[in-house]
Amino acid sequence: QVQLVESGGGSVQAGGSLRLSCTASGLNYKSYCWAWFRQTQNKEREGVAAIDSDGTTAYADSVKGRFIISKDKTTNTVYLQMNSLKPEDSATYYCVASWVVGWSLANPADFHYWSQGTEVTVAS
């Protein structure tokens, strides 16, 4: 059974930082692309950052230069370091995994496994 368990969400003032963690079990961690998506009540799911099996990373324009995605192969954990947070970063954040070659952050359907989600609130 595949499980993605995330932690690290919470509330922070604008300009602050948070780090999200996601630990995976039940799948071949090294073969997957890992990513973070986010969603607010009034918007569609948005791909934020991804890291492929070879370590290649991709970011949404809205977070470039502020967010960093990384992974630790020894613990099957993916991280999202979020710096210089803005109120518009407030959302539910999901850890996701994909085995699709040629995945796209613009296409949530490319990602097959989703975590439960963790709330991030950035106060102005």
Side-chain angles (χ1 to χ4, degrees):
Q1 181 181 0
V2 176
Q3 281 192 313
L4 304 180
V5 180
E6 58 184 317
S7 61
S11 298
V12 66
Q13 293 289 322
S17 299
L18 283 173
R19 188 176 80 157
L20 305 182
S21 302
C22 173
T23 301
S25 61
L27 49 71
N28 186 355
Y29 170 88
K30 297 178 182 179
S31 299
Y32 283 75
C33 167
W34 295 90
W36 293 89
F37 277 69
R38 64 187 181 188
Q39 186 173 26
T40 60
Q41 279 189 335
N42 300 321
K43 293 185 179 180
E44 295 182 350
R45 288 182 173 178
E46 175 191 19
V48 174
I51 184 165
D52 213 338
S53 56
D54 64 357
T56 303
T57 58
Y59 296 91
D61 288 342
S62 58
V63 306
K64 278 181 182 176
R66 300 189 297 122
F67 289 14
I68 301 171
I69 188 170
S70 62
K71 60 183 179 179
D72 184 341
K73 296 177 182 179
T74 63
T75 60
N76 287 2
T77 302
V78 180
Y79 301 97
L80 184 68
Q81 177 66 44
M82 303 185 293
N83 302 316
S84 302
L85 282 161
K86 304 175 181 180
E88 51 264 41
D89 293 319
S90 298
T92 301
Y93 282 73
Y94 298 90
C95 170
V96 301
S98 171
W99 65 73
V100 171
V101 176
W103 50 266
S104 169
L105 279 175
N107 188 13
D110 283 347
F111 295 85
H112 308 93
Y113 298 113
W114 291 71
S115 66
Q116 294 284 354
T118 188
E119 295 292 327
V120 171
T121 302
V122 184
S124 58

